[in-house]
Amino acid sequence: MTEIRLTNTKTRKKEVFTPIDPENVRMYVCGPTVYDRAHIGNARPAIVFDVLYRLLRHVAPQNGWGKVTYVRNITDVEDKIIARAAERGISIDELTSTTERWYLDDMAALGVLPPDEAPHATDYIPQMVEMIANLIDKGHAYAAEGHVLFAVDSYAEYGRLSGRSVDDMIAGARVEVAPYKKNPMDFVLWKPATGDEPGWPSPWGKGRPGWHIECSAMAQAILGETFDIHGGGNDLMFPHHENEIAQSCCANKTDVMANVWLHNEMLQVEGKKMSKSLGNFFTVRDLLDKGVPGEVIRFVFLSTHYRKPMDWTEEKAREAERTLDHWATFLSVDHEVLEADIGGIAPDDGVIEALSDDLNTSLALTRLRQLGRRADNSPEFLSLSDKEQFSERLRFLATVEFLGLTLRERAREKRSQPRAASLERLELALAYERTAAKESKDFSQVDRLKTALVEAGVEVRMTKDSIELIPGPDFDPSKLEALG
């Protein structure tokens, strides 16, 4: 049995994960509001919870669990959507359907698996209306001037998730001032639709749901009144997740909405907060169109623990590219491995152990680098039988793919290229060893390679950001054969 430990925002503790119903492990993650391209910050929760989804599915059979149900919603009715459609002069349906396809394509390029369920808010309006009416009947909500608002004072636990008092939340939040509110913190469950705005019939007039009630209703309809894991970025902790808990617990008369709350930290670019005013705001598609492969983007994201702020830098992208390219280079010579069916090959136990400890993707990548170094014609690898070498490389490739990274296409491209590549291969090897040495503080392998290259008549030019090998007048390729 594999024990998974997760840091629960609600308790501020790392806890052993135990599903409510072992036959159906249930997870809900807040998905995109489909009005524009996903920026790279939007990609972080998609990747974080994709890793958790992969882990849960992997350990479920060992732990005697049944299926894993992962729900990630699509918000397709919201004020930003209405404003953007009007700005572009297109219908809301055209905007949301196009933007949703963009999102799915971009996430697929990052190795993100589709969830089991991707409910659209507009398909659950009746459930939202029913939940709102239920809250009114129980004294937790009230109608006023075509609106319905949740009465924050009616829920004593409000603020527990974020650890704030109501007074603190009022001071720190952008509270909408409205004469029909009984309390400044009361939030909208239903709002009237005016003019050509989208709207649905309700006991309170034609209108549309507030953002928070959408997730509560969809989660309840698909996963039940209580479920195992609720996730999202920490920017959603307040007010969105706080409001979800209040609505769901009050409507369902439960103590909890989800047993475990997981929140990933935010993303920076080159050490600064991402913003359009700083000129460092870009989308996933911007990176892909610039030629940054999806597996490189994912590798950079996995290199930082989800509970730590992540800094996207060009240097990290270059290092990720070098590492993946190096792995692809040594795998490219092994046609049998590249074409093998690895469906039944389990990923490395050390990687699973790292991920099981609060999704430690950084440690998992460290373990993967160790596996890569061993499988790249290391003395230990070469001492194995042919069958054992084949098995070891299959395990390495299966582990790479378990983490959502892709190598086979890259390796096949290298296999189809002319084989001039002894220096190119060693350039990649030296870059790879230098990256590994920065972690281990052991530069002996780097020094060994440099010495061998110089003895073969190669000039080694190393800067902080690059490595270049230049054959000199006394270059003797035969002296490099022992290096591969």
Side-chain angles (χ1 to χ4, degrees):
M1 179 171 179
T2 301
E3 183 178 87
I4 296 176
R5 298 170 300 281
L6 300 171
T7 298
N8 191 347
T9 304
K10 185 173 64 176
T11 62
R12 275 60 173 179
K13 295 177 182 177
K14 189 188 293 188
E15 302 170 345
V16 175
F17 172 70
T18 304
I20 298 169
D21 175 10
E23 293 303 312
N24 186 11
V25 182
R26 293 164 289 165
M27 177 169 70
Y28 185 96
V29 175
C30 293
T33 299
V34 284
Y35 70 99
D36 207 344
R37 286 277 189 189
H39 59 70
I40 59 168
N42 299 140
R44 193 171 196 199
I47 291 174
V48 165
F49 291 101
D50 177 70
V51 172
L52 179 54
Y53 180 43
R54 290 168 182 266
L55 177 64
L56 290 171
R57 293 202 313 178
H58 175 72
V59 306
Q62 311 167 16
N63 291 1
W65 302 342
K67 66 179 180 177
V68 176
T69 304
Y70 174 26
V71 179
R72 187 186 67 208
N73 73 292
I74 300 289
T75 296
D76 59 348
V77 55
E78 208 262 347
D79 291 350
K80 290 177 181 177
I81 294 173
I82 296 169
R84 183 59 54 86
E87 176 187 313
R88 293 181 55 187
I90 60 176
S91 71
I92 288 173
D93 284 347
E94 181 181 352
L95 175 68
T96 56
S97 61
T98 299
T99 308
E100 180 181 353
R101 175 45 50 196
W102 287 346
Y103 178 83
L104 296 176
D105 289 347
D106 289 350
M107 294 307 107
L110 303 185
V112 173
L113 298 172
D116 297 293
E117 301 276 354
H120 292 69
T122 52
D123 291 333
Y124 287 80
I125 301 295
Q127 290 89 337
M128 296 172 200
V129 170
E130 182 180 357
M131 181 174 275
I132 293 169
N134 185 0
L135 288 167
I136 292 175
D137 290 344
K138 288 183 167 68
H140 295 291
Y142 58 93
E145 299 183 22
H147 295 74
V148 180
L149 297 109
F150 183 88
V152 169
D153 289 342
S154 72
Y155 183 56
E157 296 295 308
Y158 193 79
R160 182 180 172 189
L161 179 72
S162 55
R164 309 183 194 184
S165 69
V166 172
D167 289 341
D168 289 340
M169 287 185 276
I170 292 174
R174 296 177 180 176
V175 176
E176 180 188 0
V177 178
Y180 48 79
K181 285 188 175 185
K182 295 180 180 179
N183 181 315
M185 287 300 297
D186 292 349
F187 57 88
V188 172
L189 302 173
W190 189 263
K191 62 177 69 177
T194 60
D196 295 331
E197 293 177 349
W200 291 262
S202 81
W204 319 285
K206 180 184 176 183
R208 62 181 183 275
W211 175 37
H212 313 300
I213 197 69
E214 294 178 4
C215 285
S216 284
M218 287 185 283
Q220 178 183 326
I222 300 170
L223 298 179
E225 294 181 353
T226 60
F227 50 93
D228 297 301
I229 300 169
H230 196 314
N234 69 357
D235 58 325
L236 299 182
M237 191 187 309
F238 177 81
H240 185 51
H241 290 165
E242 201 75 75
N243 292 352
E244 278 189 64
I245 291 171
Q247 296 162 161
S248 295
C249 290
C250 289
N252 300 323
K253 290 188 175 181
T254 58
D255 293 331
V256 298
M257 178 186 184
N259 273 357
V260 180
W261 287 82
L262 294 182
H263 292 94
N264 62 271
E265 261 288 355
M266 294 296 97
L267 177 142
Q268 298 176 325
V269 175
E270 302 289 348
K272 297 179 181 178
K273 182 179 179 181
M274 186 172 66
S275 71
K276 291 180 179 178
S277 61
L278 292 175
N280 65 353
F281 179 96
F282 46 90
T283 67
V284 172
R285 181 51 51 180
D286 289 335
L287 287 177
L288 295 171
D289 288 347
K290 280 175 58 179
V292 181
E295 64 266 26
V296 168
I297 299 171
R298 185 179 180 99
F299 192 103
V300 174
F301 276 59
L302 296 181
S303 65
T304 301
H305 192 280
Y306 79 95
R307 288 193 297 108
K308 294 182 179 179
M310 197 202 107
D311 191 17
W312 173 272
T313 69
E314 291 189 6
E315 173 56 23
K316 286 181 180 179
R318 283 192 292 267
E319 286 190 6
E321 177 75 41
R322 286 193 290 264
T323 298
L324 291 166
D325 218 38
H326 179 68
W327 291 343
T329 298
F330 79 71
L331 286 175
S332 68
V333 302
D334 201 331
H335 176 75
E336 191 177 359
V337 168
L338 285 184
E339 302 309 320
D341 178 7
I342 61 171
I345 307 296
D348 174 70
D349 289 342
V351 168
I352 297 301
E353 183 179 350
L355 296 181
S356 298
D357 186 11
D358 201 24
L359 295 184
N360 194 337
T361 54
S362 177
L363 182 58
L365 285 187
T366 296
R367 172 61 178 169
L368 192 61
R369 288 189 184 96
Q370 293 170 350
L371 295 174
R373 292 182 72 180
R374 176 178 165 86
D376 182 18
N377 294 318
S378 67
E380 297 89 347
F381 180 81
L382 294 174
S383 69
L384 301 175
S385 68
D386 290 347
K387 183 178 180 180
E388 289 170 329
Q389 289 181 7
F390 178 69
S391 177
E392 185 141 332
R393 281 190 169 166
L394 278 188
R395 178 83 64 183
F396 172 70
L397 188 56
T399 306
V400 169
E401 295 192 3
F402 174 77
L403 287 170
L405 301 166
T406 55
L407 276 184
R408 291 209 234 197
E409 184 176 341
R410 185 183 285 248
R412 289 185 183 117
E413 287 176 0
K414 288 186 173 296
R415 189 174 181 82
S416 67
Q417 294 168 358
R419 274 273 183 279
S422 65
L423 282 183
E424 178 190 352
R425 173 180 166 78
L426 290 169
E427 204 170 84
L428 288 168
L430 188 55
Y432 177 70
E433 293 297 345
R434 185 171 69 165
T435 298
K438 288 178 181 177
E439 285 193 7
S440 66
K441 309 304 180 187
D442 179 4
F443 286 83
S444 58
Q445 180 69 356
V446 174
D447 294 337
R448 185 184 74 84
L449 281 174
K450 285 171 62 178
T451 299
L453 286 162
V454 171
E455 289 177 351
V458 178
E459 181 184 353
V460 181
R461 295 181 181 178
M462 300 179 70
T463 68
K464 178 183 176 183
D465 298 327
S466 67
I467 293 175
E468 187 177 9
L469 303 183
I470 301 172
D474 300 323
F475 175 49
D476 183 357
S478 66
K479 292 183 177 181
L480 298 179
E481 290 178 2
L483 297 177

